[in-house]
Each structure stands twice: as structure tokens, then as C-alpha cells.
């Protein structure tokens, strides 16, 4: 069985589990407790915070540990927008993750915000010129993802940041999908806030972080004991943050190996486009995550192709795991100008780090057979 759904989640790495194990067993103290067990737990959280800060290009005091990417996105968008009293206008895009889009909708419905969703081109890229036209004197935040979870397109973040900065508007980027392959620090991207999730990096589900510049006001979503410098109350998940820090550090060391994954991705893209009649690559060919190969197969059913592939030993998806089970075509694909009936034929392959070129050739063969089988059934 080949697992080709790493955009949905990744297995916990052995090194991560080993780093976490003491804090799941004997070192079970509460970091807020003023005794030796609690102080050791607090030290572990501090060490993890320093590691995450180093990887995200910020000060330890600018790291907020969360329960995952969804909470990090919610905290960034609601927290920054509500913490800035100068206006009620938010700019984002039509292809953001649901955590961003629904946070923006919440601000619109309950707090009177005006939300501008920027269009994208046929490859899923945002134009800096469109962002410049959208900014207003009352704009409080721009939130544009670093890379898309469905189509793998990487945005021109530094160009977009330059536009926002010229207008004096802070910018957040959801880097949940890109942190395993690309630099996502505040300094490297130039943004004011960035979200990550541990389970995309080999850490457990339920771990994440938001890096946010200390100069930005941040209204907390959770109130209580005042943990995380008052920005996210709740007893810290000590084992989880240790695991997140370990995974992020390992990921940083291994980013240089992603060239091999890119080669395998290109073998799959070239092979599928050459051998599957009518296959359409979704997203940008040039500006693309190393592990992402996503297609539409017009004239088929995406769900049927997925079932055929699983029968042939390949586990993959039709797009965002958060939208699994929906009968509606993907808003991301619709935003690219893809027809609804074609969007419902989408299949996404996201590759593990250990993928080989031999496996990539085998994947192409199985995709060819699966699409042909589904097409044959529909023709009957």
C-alpha cells in the first residue's frame, strides 16, 4: 500500500515519539505548578518554544502554542483583526483553507467586518496588483496562504507582503501545507504572523503554533489561566509542544532532500498527462509544492477513481480532508475557472519523503488503469 495523502496528515516520527515519551509518563507535571515536577515541565515548554522560535524566525515570546493549524489560523485572523481598532476590513483570497475563510465569515457576520476575497489566476496565484487595489485605509489584516492544500500552488508571498507593508497593513500567512518543504519563518517570508500544524510534519495531531510579531495586538480566543502570555489560556500540552518542536527541527534539516520528491512528482505529472486522455493538471507547474501532483480527469468520477486506486494499492484523496464527504465541487477549483462537473473529478496525490522514482513509475501505471476502468464503467 502506498500512502499518497501526506497533505491530510503524516505518521508520527519515531524521533518525535521518543522526545515526547518522558512527558507522557513520568514527567507529567503541570507547567504552572510551583514544584519540581511542574518546573521541569515548564522548562520543557520553554525549550520547545525556543526551538520553534528559531525555526520560525521570531523571538520565543512571539510563539503561541495551539491545538493545531485551525486554531492558529482562527487566533491570527480573529485575534489580530479584533485587536486593531482602526477599521473593519479584511483581505483574503478565494482559495484559502476553511479555517481562514470561515474565520473571515465570522468577523463579517458577528462583528460587521467587510471581507474582500481576492481572485486567483488559472494556476491559483494571487496578483500583487489585485491586492494593492483591494487595500483601504480601514484594512486591518491581509491573510494569504503560503501554499494551497489542494493544488499545491505556492504564492508570491514576498511580493504580496511588500504591497501590504507599503500600506501599513499587517499580513498573516497560513503555512500549514508548506512548512515541511519551504522556509516559513517571519523573516524569510516577511509576514507578521504565520500558522503551522504539527501533524503535517511528523508530530501528533492536536499540536500547532502561531508565530506573531510582538508589536501586533492580539485578542485571545480562549480566556482562563493566562497561559501563553495571556494569548491562549489552557494548560500547555507539554508532550505535544515537545513533539512539535522536535518535528519542526528535523524538517528544517531535511528540506534539502525535497529535490528527490520533486523528481518523483514530475515523473507522475508527466506520465499522467502523457498517458491519461484528457487529464488536466490543477495548480501551477512552476510554483508548486515538491510533493503535490493534483489532477482532474474529465468524464470520470473522482470518488470512483479513488476507490479504483485504493483497490490497486494507492491511498490518496480528492482534495482537502476538511471537506471530505461534501457533494459540492471544490471552491478552490472553481476559483481557478474549472467547470463544476470537471472539478468533481479531482484527485490529489501528495507524496511521502521516502518516495522513489520506481514507485512514481508504478503510480502512473496504476492511475492509467484506474481512470480507464472508471471511464469504461461510465461508458456502459
Amino acid at each position: 500500500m502506498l500512502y499518497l495523502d501526506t497533505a491530510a496528515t503524516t505518521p508520527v516520527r519515531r524521533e518525535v515519539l521518543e522526545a515526547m515519551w518522558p512527558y507522557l509518563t513520568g514527567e507529567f507535571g503541570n507547567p504552572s505548578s510551583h514544584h519540581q515536577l511542574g518546573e521541569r515541565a515548564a522548562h520543557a515548554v520553554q525549550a520547545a518554544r525556543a526551538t520553534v522560535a528559531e525555526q520560525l524566525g521570531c523571538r520565543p515570546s512571539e510563539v503561541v502554542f495551539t491545538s493545531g493549524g485551525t486554531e492558529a489560523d482562527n487566533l491570527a485572523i480573529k485575534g489580530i483583526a479584533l485587536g486593531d481598532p482602526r477599521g473593519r476590513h479584511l483581505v483574503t483570497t478565494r482559495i484559502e483553507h476553511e479555517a481562514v475563510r470561515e474565520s473571515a465569515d465570522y468577523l463579517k457576520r458577528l462583528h460587521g467586518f467587510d471581507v474582500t476575497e481576492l481572485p486567483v489566476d488559472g494556476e491559483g496565484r494571487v496578483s500583487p496588483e489585485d491586492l494593492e487595489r483591494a487595500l483601504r485605509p480601514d484594512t486591518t489584516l491581509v491573510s494569504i496562504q503560503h501554499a494551497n492544500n489542494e493544488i499545491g500552488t505556492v504564492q508570491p508571498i514576498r511580493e504580496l507582503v511588500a504591497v501590504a507593508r507599503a500600506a501599513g497593513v499587517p499580513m498573516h500567512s497560513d503555512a500549514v501545507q508548506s512548512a515541511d518543504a519551504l522556509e516559513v519563518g517571519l523573516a524569510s517570508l516577511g509576514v507578521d504572523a504565520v500558522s503551522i500544524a504539527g501533524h503535517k510534519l511528523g508530530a501528533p495531531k492536536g499540536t500547532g503554533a502561531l508565530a506573531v510579531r510582538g508589536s501586533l495586538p492580539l485578542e485571545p480566543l480562549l480566556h482562563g489561566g493566562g497561559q501563553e502570555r495571556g494569548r491562549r489560556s489552557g494548560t500547555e500540552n507539554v508532550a505535544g509542544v515537545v513533539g512539535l518542536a522536535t518535528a519542526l527541527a528535523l524538517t528544517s534539516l531535511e528540506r534539502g532532500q525535497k529535490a528527490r520528491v520533486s523528481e518523483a512528482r514530475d515523473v507522475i505529472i508527466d506520465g499522467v498527462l502523457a498517458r491519461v486522455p484528457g487529464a488536466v493538471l490543477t495548480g501551477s507547474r512552476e510554483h508548486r509544492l515538491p510533493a503535490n501532483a493534483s489532477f482532474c480527469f474529465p468524464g470520470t468520477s473522482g470518488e470512483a477513481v479513488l476507490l479504483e486506486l485504493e483497490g490497486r494499492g494507492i491511498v490518496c484523496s480528492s482534495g482537502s480532508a476538511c471537506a471530505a464527504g461534501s457533494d459540492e465541487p471544490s471552491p478552490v477549483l472553481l476559483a481557478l475557472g474549472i467547470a463544476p462537473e470537471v472539478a468533481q473529478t479531482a484527485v490529489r496525490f501528495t507524496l511521502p519523503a521516502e518516495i522513489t522514482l520506481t514507485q512514481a513509475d508504478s503510480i502512473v501505471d496504476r492511475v492509467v488503469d484506474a481512470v480507464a476502468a472508471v471511464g469504461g464503467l461510465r461508458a456502459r
Side-chain angles (χ1 to χ4, degrees), residues 64-87:
V64 183
F65 288 121
T66 69
S67 63
T70 290
E71 185 188 340
D73 283 343
N74 272 257
L75 179 57
I77 293 165
K78 298 173 186 175
I80 295 172
L82 293 175
D84 188 340
R86 65 181 164 171

Side-chain angles (χ1 to χ4, degrees), residues 8 26 126 137-138 152 162 181 183 287 291 315 324 348:
V126 177
D138 62 339
E183 294 286 343
H287 306 286
V315 174
R348 178 189 69 180

Side-chain angles (χ1 to χ4, degrees), residues 16 18-23 41 44-45 48 65 237-247:
V16 171
E18 290 174 349
M20 294 173 60
W21 187 248
Y23 304 100
V45 173
F65 288 121
N237 175 1
V238 181
V241 302
V242 168
L244 173 65
T246 304

